[in-house]
Amino acid sequence: MKFTVLGSGAGLPSKDRNTQSFVIDCVLEYNEYILIDAGEALQHRILHTHIKPSKIKNIFITHLHGDHIFGLPGFLSSRAFQGGEGIPLKIYGPKGLREWIETTFRISESALNYPLDVVEVEPYMDIRLNNFDVHAIPLSHGIESYAYIFKEDNQIGELQTDKLRELGIRPGPVYGEIKASETFTHDGQIYETPDFIGETIEGRKITVHGDTRLNTEKEYLDSIRNSDLLVHEATFLNNEREKAHDYFHSEINHVLDVFEDVNYKQLLIVHISSRYTDEDIKEVSASLEGRAVIAYDYFELPIPRNVK
């Protein structure tokens, strides 16, 4: 599983940073991509990757500002001609998203050749998505905005084949049968399968924020605690904490301070203002000392399993 950044910039795109779009690549695990936000020119960004639009089956929109949704109509239309025919697509997002999509397609007289379902999200809504539980947390942005917490299901531990060999059970299809059972019999003796299974593999936790002011409430911090990947905006990079707050955004040093005790494994900083030069960003990156990474377009970050 990996996290791909198709657009890392804030509201005004630059030559180097497109507006915000992300992909959780879980094709190897679950044969799909999960798209989060749809910045302008999304369909063009995808052309520079190996992402197949037909394998995007779920989209999560954090909020309805244009830099997060203006790429959606073009992508939906292109998907219809890029292997998506007949493959259902579901879109989750704030109230008003369904009306905006329906109006756009009605006025442009566009049609899709696959089922489209738009689900309007409510605060603290829980969503079951294949092998993930998704939790929507409301944010502070002056417009309805959400963070989405994707918690992967736990997996049964590895079969301890060395113990089976000690019993004289040789490798073969029987190993799969044993792992799927509660008990098994060998040489007339009954064994408990859990005694031959390693520790449970904890599912990965990925938290992706929309635009927002920093939230310092304990309940919120507890909900994102222990994220394998924490994605948060920092539109401001130069200690303009008050200005960031006034504009319903966040500043990078404040983000680091607030998340200091959240126990994340990886922190990815996104939604970077176009006013910052490459030199500005290099300087800030050098000061992070491994606490976070500032994203750039087409950045890919592996999200390994929690194997002990």
Side-chain angles (χ1 to χ4, degrees):
M1 189 181 296
K2 63 182 177 182
F3 192 83
T4 300
V5 178
L6 296 177
S8 60
L12 183 65
S14 69
K15 292 180 180 180
D16 299 318
R17 292 181 183 274
N18 201 58
T19 50
Q20 184 163 300
S21 296
F22 310 129
V23 170
I24 299 175
D25 180 346
C26 44
V27 169
L28 291 179
E29 294 89 348
Y30 311 117
N31 196 35
E32 78 164 291
Y33 301 98
I34 301 170
L35 176 66
I36 304 168
D37 282 343
E40 300 164 48
L42 169 63
Q43 58 181 320
H44 298 279
R45 312 300 285 180
I46 289 176
L47 292 175
H48 296 279
T49 72
H50 297 293
I51 296 169
K52 294 182 178 180
S54 61
K55 289 186 181 293
I56 295 178
K57 301 170 186 176
N58 292 278
I59 299 175
F60 289 81
I61 301 297
T62 62
H63 62 293
L64 301 185
H65 278 155
D67 55 319
H68 296 256
I69 64 170
F70 281 169
L72 190 55
F75 168 77
L76 296 178
S77 297
S78 293
R79 183 182 185 270
F81 301 99
Q82 295 174 315
E85 182 176 0
I87 300 176
L89 175 65
K90 186 171 285 190
I91 307 177
Y92 300 87
K95 184 177 181 181
L97 179 60
R98 181 185 296 109
E99 180 184 3
W100 182 75
I101 293 174
E102 290 176 349
T103 301
T104 300
F105 276 80
R106 175 175 54 81
I107 292 176
S108 64
E109 297 187 5
S110 302
L112 302 177
N113 59 10
Y114 55 85
L116 178 65
D117 184 16
V118 179
V119 177
E120 295 191 333
V121 173
E122 298 178 354
Y124 306 106
M125 184 174 178
D126 290 313
I127 300 162
R128 182 61 185 168
L129 175 67
N130 298 330
N131 295 79
F132 291 92
D133 286 322
V134 186
H135 185 56
I137 298 178
L139 302 173
S140 176
H141 188 51
I143 184 177
E144 188 176 3
S145 183
Y146 289 96
Y148 295 109
I149 301 175
F150 299 83
K151 178 61 173 68
E152 185 185 26
D153 293 344
N154 293 343
Q155 293 189 356
I156 187 172
E158 296 293 330
L159 185 66
Q160 297 177 329
T161 56
D162 54 334
K163 291 185 176 181
L164 294 178
R165 289 193 182 95
E166 289 175 5
L167 293 179
I169 303 176
R170 302 185 64 180
V174 67
Y175 277 16
E177 295 171 5
I178 289 174
K179 189 172 184 179
S181 69
E182 294 182 3
T183 62
F184 65 93
T185 302
H186 178 67
D187 285 347
Q189 184 171 344
I190 298 176
Y191 295 91
E192 298 288 332
T193 301
D195 293 337
F196 296 82
I197 300 292
E199 291 188 32
T200 298
I201 300 172
E202 183 76 16
R204 287 161 282 197
K205 182 177 180 179
I206 304 165
T207 302
V208 183
H209 293 77
D211 295 1
T212 184
R213 289 171 170 167
L214 259 297
N215 188 341
T216 59
E217 295 179 1
K218 183 179 183 302
E219 183 178 2
Y220 156 75
L221 294 175
D222 285 343
S223 70
I224 67 172
R225 194 175 304 281
N226 299 320
S227 291
D228 292 87
L229 175 60
L230 190 54
V231 182
H232 200 284
E233 70 124 296
T235 309
F236 294 83
L237 298 178
N238 51 2
N239 291 308
E240 296 178 287
R241 186 174 299 190
E242 292 184 6
K243 189 172 182 179
H245 186 270
D246 291 342
Y247 283 91
F248 290 90
H249 282 292
S250 300
E251 187 274 331
I252 190 168
N253 293 296
H254 194 194
V255 172
L256 293 170
D257 290 345
V258 170
F259 291 162
E260 184 176 6
D261 297 320
V262 168
N263 194 35
Y264 58 84
K265 288 186 178 177
Q266 302 183 92
L267 173 59
L268 187 62
I269 301 297
V270 298
H271 206 264
I272 309 303
S273 171
S274 61
R275 67 183 173 140
Y276 297 111
T277 66
D278 289 344
E279 289 303 315
D280 293 331
I281 293 171
K282 286 180 182 178
E283 184 177 343
V284 174
S285 294
S287 70
L288 297 178
E289 299 177 341
R291 293 178 294 167
V293 173
I294 298 178
Y296 51 85
D297 287 15
Y298 300 116
F299 177 79
E300 293 184 346
L301 186 65
I303 312 171
R305 290 191 184 278
N306 297 300
V307 180
K308 297 182 179 179

